Amino acid sequence: MTRQIEPDSPETKRTTSSGDKRKKVRPGRIRERNRERILMAAEKEFSQNGFGATTVQKIADRAGLPKSNVLYYFSNKKRIYYALMDDIMGRWNEMFSKIQPEDDPATTLTSFIHAKVELSRTHPLASRLFALEIIQGAPVLKDHLSTTMREWVQARAGVIQQWIDAGRMAPVDPVQLILLIWSSTQHYADFQVQILAIEDKNEYTESDFQHAADFLTSVILRGCGLAP
């Protein structure tokens, strides 16, 4: 039997245009590209079919990869789902994860709100998939929510509380502020059909999302005693 070489193994090589010259393809780059393809396909499959009806084979077919390659990166469907959710939440909170007590509250909150609205524009399926998981009682993510996510929120809330204690913003509930930003920004992805019907539009444009981000920024910052 011929031994199969995985696409991101150190043995993988690509022939250059010079014919005889060969160079190694960086394994990490291939791994990253294939992992991204798998997670993009999984996002669409889970969003359309739910966790129960989605199979590794369907994800592989959508990604254009053999099922064996998908299982090389993720040993089962649940691990794909975990990785996808981790990727979604990391993408949402990447900017806000880096906040420090010395940062400017108005600038930081503005950047966070705009980043979240932009992700509602560019990755609406991710937001809807996460909402579906929560609506169903978080059957897969319950432990993550009560450990990793809780710790993340408490750490960010601690920085906001330091801003409040220093008199740099109004005394608001830091946890409720984070929840407000999450819910209001993700609304433009999760309830886009409702928004379009109310505003009598066929689709939401990039300028519409920009307007929404500016509006949310103005309202939220003023509620925190900050100038937009």
Side-chain angles (χ1 to χ4, degrees):
M1 178 182 287
T2 304
R3 182 168 63 90
Q4 181 179 356
I5 298 176
E6 291 297 341
D8 66 338
S9 73
E11 300 167 73
T12 306
K13 295 181 179 180
R14 179 181 299 154
T15 305
T16 65
S17 58
S18 59
D20 293 330
K21 277 190 173 183
R22 300 173 72 87
K23 64 178 181 179
K24 291 182 180 179
V25 178
R26 293 177 60 185
R29 185 170 296 175
I30 296 177
R31 174 183 290 274
E32 184 179 341
R33 185 171 64 237
N34 284 348
R35 184 180 183 279
E36 185 177 336
R37 286 174 64 182
I38 293 167
L39 292 182
M40 287 177 63
E43 184 176 297
K44 293 177 181 176
E45 287 295 325
F46 285 129
S47 297
Q48 292 178 7
N49 306 314
F51 181 82
T54 296
T55 65
V56 175
Q57 185 62 62
K58 287 181 179 179
I59 294 172
D61 291 344
R62 188 180 285 272
L65 295 170
K67 180 180 177 181
S68 59
N69 281 32
V70 175
L71 292 174
Y72 174 77
Y73 293 100
F74 304 99
S75 57
N76 54 52
K77 180 176 72 171
K78 197 167 186 177
R79 288 189 178 276
I80 299 175
Y81 190 79
Y82 272 131
L84 177 59
M85 286 296 177
D86 189 60
D87 186 68
I88 290 171
M89 289 183 284
R91 200 186 304 155
W92 281 345
N93 299 319
E94 180 181 8
M95 173 266 154
F96 210 57
S97 293
K98 303 171 184 176
I99 64 171
Q100 299 294 328
E102 58 269 23
D103 292 337
D104 177 65
T107 301
T108 303
L109 292 173
T110 297
S111 297
F112 187 38
I113 293 167
H114 277 256
K116 288 287 279 87
V117 172
E118 177 64 8
L119 285 169
S120 283
R121 182 182 75 83
T122 58
H123 294 79
L125 285 181
S127 185
R128 292 167 199 160
L129 178 60
F130 184 80
L132 182 62
E133 166 72 15
I134 300 303
I135 289 170
Q136 293 174 338
V140 178
L141 291 182
K142 187 169 290 185
D143 288 342
H144 177 86
L145 297 178
S146 61
T147 54
T148 305
M149 180 168 281
R150 179 186 294 167
E151 292 169 3
W152 184 92
V153 170
Q154 292 299 331
R156 306 291 81 72
V159 174
I160 295 173
Q161 188 60 54
Q162 289 185 62
W163 292 339
I164 294 170
D165 294 342
R168 301 175 67 192
M169 60 182 286
V172 299
D173 185 321
V175 172
Q176 294 303 315
L177 176 59
I178 294 171
L179 295 177
L180 172 62
I181 293 173
W182 277 352
S183 60
S184 60
T185 54
Q186 287 162 227
H187 181 85
Y188 292 91
D190 301 343
F191 292 88
Q192 191 175 111
V193 172
Q194 179 191 55
I195 294 171
L196 292 175
I198 290 171
E199 296 194 357
D200 193 24
K201 295 180 177 180
N202 292 323
E203 63 180 15
Y204 231 49
T205 65
E206 187 172 348
S207 62
D208 289 328
F209 280 99
Q210 181 64 44
H211 173 69
D214 291 340
F215 171 79
L216 291 177
T217 299
S218 177
V219 171
I220 293 173
L221 263 62
R222 291 183 191 281
C224 294
L226 300 168

